[in-house]
Amino acid sequence: GQQLNQSPQSMFIQEGEDVSMNCTSSSIFNTWLWYKQDPGEGPVLLIALYKAGELTSNGRLTAQFGITRKDSFLNISASIPSDVGIYFCAGQRVSGGGADGLTFGKGTHLIIQP
Amino acid sequence: GAVVSQHPSRVICKSGTSVKIECRSLDFQATTMFWYRQFPKQSLMLMATSNEGSKATYEQGVEKDKFLINHASLTLSTLTVTSAHPEDSSFYICSAETWREYTDTQYFGPGTRLTVL
């Protein structure tokens, strides 16, 4: 199946630093989503983006839906230890029969060094 | 709100046996549920779309006779892995779709770890 191009694959940062990750696709999506997954658990929705150009914040998280509808980025400001985990972008298309299943990126593994 | 549960959370079975995994939306009704598979250190891959009262739609490369999906009610979908083999060992995650804040949103279950010996 298709996967989105997500980068970076992993990040080693110091606590308090800002984080930025992005996803690109060769095709258009109607919706872009960002999830966080902790080991052995299901993904938890962080931010959902529904309009091209949309910029949305959720606390220290900010995400944008690219104008071309083929990309998105997620920023985390002032990282804290609980931000550790794997972050996935996901794209969703809406067809005549309703919303489709999600296409995920390969994930960004965030590691915070004390 | 929007809680999705899966049962069991972890299962170990012998090669050749069948395993059933349940996905339930606890506080909402979901006409559509999705099943994903995640191998270690990899991303989630969509396996199939499950619609209440109709046949599931499978992604290319997913064997429908091996991964049986039943969406019996608006709150329950089941995935049965038939004649499981070691290569079927994976983390199986479901999601349920609901209308929230003027749009469809998928909420994920906690996943089921399947190990086939």
Side-chain angles (χ1 to χ4, degrees):
Chain A
Q2 180 192 6
Q3 280 190 312
L4 304 177
N5 299 313
Q6 184 173 348
S7 64
Q9 186 175 1
S10 59
M11 299 184 72
F12 296 80
I13 64 168
Q14 301 281 343
E15 183 178 349
E17 289 185 11
D18 296 344
V19 172
S20 184
M21 59 191 79
N22 69 83
C23 266
T24 61
S25 169
S26 58
S27 54
I28 289 173
F29 287 99
N30 300 100
T31 302
W32 279 88
L33 307 122
W34 286 92
Y35 289 88
K36 179 173 183 276
Q37 185 179 30
D38 291 327
E41 299 183 11
V44 174
L45 180 65
L46 300 174
I47 291 182
L49 302 156
Y50 302 105
K51 296 180 182 178
E54 178 181 356
L55 182 71
T56 297
S57 293
N58 178 9
R60 293 180 295 107
L61 278 60
T62 302
Q64 184 158 32
F65 191 157
I67 289 291
T68 65
R69 293 200 285 162
K70 293 183 179 180
D71 63 295
S72 177
F73 72 73
L74 173 70
N75 288 340
I76 305 173
S77 63
S79 59
I80 59 177
S82 61
D83 291 336
V84 166
I86 302 178
Y87 292 79
F88 289 100
C89 63
Q92 185 177 40
R93 296 186 182 88
V94 178
S95 60
D100 293 343
L102 303 180
T103 300
F104 280 85
K106 294 184 179 181
T108 295
H109 192 179
L110 180 60
I111 300 165
I112 298 177
Q113 299 168 329
Chain B
V3 178
V4 178
S5 70
Q6 281 184 241
H7 178 78
S9 58
R10 185 180 295 267
V11 57
I12 301 173
C13 69
K14 293 182 179 180
S15 184
T17 60
S18 295
V19 174
K20 180 187 283 189
I21 303 170
E22 291 185 350
C23 176
R24 293 182 184 272
S25 55
L26 298 185
D27 52 359
F28 64 97
Q29 294 184 330
T31 54
T32 305
M33 290 183 173
F34 301 89
W35 287 95
Y36 297 81
R37 180 168 51 184
Q38 185 177 32
F39 291 108
K41 298 188 185 300
Q42 294 189 24
S43 187
L44 287 78
M45 297 295 289
L46 178 66
M47 297 176 66
T49 301
S50 170
N51 291 298
E52 188 266 339
S54 64
K55 290 184 179 180
T57 304
Y58 291 83
E59 295 299 301
Q60 193 171 9
V62 178
E63 300 174 57
K64 62 180 181 181
D65 294 330
K66 180 168 185 62
F67 298 100
L68 301 179
I69 292 173
N70 186 331
H71 197 146
S73 74
L74 289 174
T75 59
L76 173 64
S77 176
T78 60
L79 169 68
T80 301
V81 183
T82 62
S83 187
H85 290 285
E87 58 266 29
D88 298 323
S89 298
S90 188
F91 194 47
Y92 292 86
I93 310 173
C94 72
S95 71
E97 190 164 75
T98 186
W99 184 260
R100 289 281 168 115
E101 297 184 5
Y102 312 107
T103 192
D104 289 314
T105 302
Q106 286 188 34
Y107 293 91
F108 283 83
T112 296
R113 173 76 59 193
L114 171 63
T115 303
V116 184
L117 302 177

